[in-house]
Amino acid sequence: MKHFPIYLSMTDTRIVLSGGGAAALAKLRLLLKTEAQIDVYAPTPAPEIVQWAEQSRLTLVSRPLMLEDLTNAKLVYAADEDPSVDARTQALAVKAGVLLNVVDNLKDSDFITPAIVDRDPVTIAIGTEGAAPVLARALKADLEERLPPRLGFLARIGKSFRKAADALPMGRRRRDFWADYYFTAGPRISNQDDAHEKLQELLTQHLEARDRAGHVQFVGAGPGDPELLTLKARKALDTADVVIHDRLISPEILELARREATLLDVGKHGFGPSTPQEDIDALIVEHAQQGAQVVRLKSGDPTVFGRLDEEIEACDAAGVSWSIVPGITAASASVASIGQSLTKRGRNGSVRFLTGHDMQGFADHDWRTLAMPDQVAAIYMGKKAARFVQGRLLMHGATPDTAVTVVESASRSNQRVLSTTLSNLPNALATAAFDGPALMLLGLHPRAACALVLDPMKQELA
């Protein structure tokens, strides 16, 4: 992040702008929405600027900017649309120690002015660091359409009631009150006259209500792409007090959690150091018993090889309520990435999910059925078990040219797809040197249209 977004107080603040043409007008239309004192220096100002000065909305000085004009200024805009004049303004700003914005010149600017969605006092700033102004405008238009015009009215009423709402303890109870106001009670308020009475009634209800009990949501984070999160998973992250997450949860998904939420990494490393399951169980229960809304965030779907039952049993034993939010499992994401389906009429009417992480009992699988033609299976965490899988299948009659596809980091930007055969599986994996989470699909090859397929026979990326 090259530019850090902040909101500057404009109360009793002086902003200086040099310029009187189209660029100056564009900036002034935005700056005039603030409480700042605006001084414009322009020998030949546009008629609109003259009119604003006559209306006392700004101060107009019909001469070039001088160094002494920058005394007590917080911001200065160079908007003359003339490189030599803008360079002169820049030199004056540097000498005066004032933050400068040169219009349409990111390189020489100390700050940038974002696209703004205005629902005063609710404002949303959109910046692309100069990379995509068209995208910023498109996002602004989309948000303008989505946000109701009455949002500003609700926010102004809410702002005036904040001191009264401090009677509620800080934290979840206060957040619940404001959520109730903005999303349930507030939109039903028709006019400002009875707004405070309605808010006082709502506050009384929340003051008299008992503390909400802690609750655990077992949430599937999907394979890693944040766009594959369900809406219910997004909502859970947005309201969680505590997020207890696996190692494989992508940073982009963790970024969606509330800023105030406590994030706890209890990741397990395959065949390496891990947080003991009983410690994870205890952590979940401890936070829920303290009244927290807990999200136990699991990669993929929590019901597939997620040790979910053990954590549910710990909640039940402690009398903690829980619910499950399913997610897209890695098998679905992996098979989608190679353009195939897990089942196909006339080929296979069933599919098996196996885990190669826990080798205990692995030999007892029905390998004879899996070795038959046209069978499909998804093996989770199977990289280290590849030679064992190969041996069992060949021993039970699978052909050496049986298709095998291994998908690493399915759905993520660094996804890789290894297409090989059963006879070459261990060697192909060694050559590919996958170091991310990988899922093995037995009986499937990628369709020709799929990109990023690693061919171990050619030793090259197609």
Side-chain angles (χ1 to χ4, degrees), residues 48-119:
E48 293 95 328
I49 298 177
V50 175
Q51 185 178 17
W52 289 331
E54 291 172 349
Q55 295 169 348
S56 300
R57 298 182 64 188
L58 55 78
T59 300
L60 175 61
V61 182
S62 299
R63 61 168 174 79
L65 182 70
M66 306 296 289
L67 180 60
E68 56 267 24
D69 299 325
L70 296 180
T71 302
N72 297 326
K74 180 174 282 189
L75 303 175
V76 59
Y77 283 86
D80 283 284
E81 302 175 81
D82 182 321
S84 61
V85 180
D86 287 342
R88 177 179 176 275
T89 302
Q90 180 187 10
L92 293 176
V94 170
K95 194 167 185 178
V98 183
L99 292 175
L100 167 79
N101 173 267
V102 183
V103 176
D104 293 333
N105 184 342
L106 184 68
K107 179 176 67 72
D108 293 328
S109 296
D110 299 314
F111 69 95
I112 56 178
T113 304
I116 292 178
V117 178
D118 184 11
R119 295 290 186 272

Side-chain angles (χ1 to χ4, degrees), residues 196-309:
H196 274 261
E197 182 181 347
K198 298 289 187 185
L199 270 171
Q200 189 59 56
E201 292 175 2
L202 185 66
L203 178 59
T204 301
Q205 294 173 16
H206 280 262
L207 285 170
E208 294 175 351
R210 297 177 59 185
D211 287 341
R212 183 150 59 122
H215 181 76
V216 178
Q217 292 188 83
F218 297 98
V219 177
D225 182 352
E227 292 187 351
L228 292 180
L229 276 177
T230 65
L231 293 175
K232 201 167 187 178
R234 289 290 301 268
K235 183 178 179 181
L237 285 171
D238 190 51
T239 58
D241 299 308
V242 178
V243 178
I244 301 173
H245 64 90
D246 289 344
R247 176 179 63 92
L248 296 178
I249 304 298
S250 67
E252 294 85 359
I253 289 177
L254 292 177
E255 188 69 21
L256 298 174
R258 278 194 322 113
R259 287 279 177 252
E260 299 84 0
T262 300
L263 303 182
L264 302 174
D265 183 351
V266 294
K268 293 177 177 290
H269 296 254
F271 301 95
S274 298
T275 304
Q277 184 61 48
E278 55 269 24
D279 290 354
I280 297 175
D281 299 343
L283 201 60
I284 294 170
V285 169
E286 175 190 350
H287 284 284
Q289 288 180 329
Q290 291 173 358
Q293 302 302 301
V294 178
V295 163
R296 174 66 173 107
L297 195 60
K298 295 173 176 285
S299 181
D301 184 285
T303 67
V304 180
F305 304 127
R307 314 273 306 251
L308 175 64
D309 292 278

Side-chain angles (χ1 to χ4, degrees), residues 26 38 124 145 169 182 232 283 298 302 337 344 353 382 412 425-426 456:
I38 302 171
I124 302 174
E145 185 177 334
Y182 280 111
K232 201 167 187 178
L283 201 60
K298 295 173 176 285
S337 72
K344 181 180 179 182
F353 288 6
R412 305 190 189 200
L425 177 59

Side-chain angles (χ1 to χ4, degrees), residues 10 40 48 90 103 132 168 189 191 205 263 270 295 313 321-322 335 343 391 412 416 426 444 447-448 454:
M10 292 289 101
V40 177
E48 293 95 328
Q90 180 187 10
V103 176
L168 287 164
I189 296 175
N191 60 74
Q205 294 173 16
L263 303 182
V295 163
E313 288 165 6
S321 66
W322 53 267
V335 78
T343 60
R412 305 190 189 200
R416 288 196 295 168
L444 294 176
R447 292 191 186 275
L454 184 65

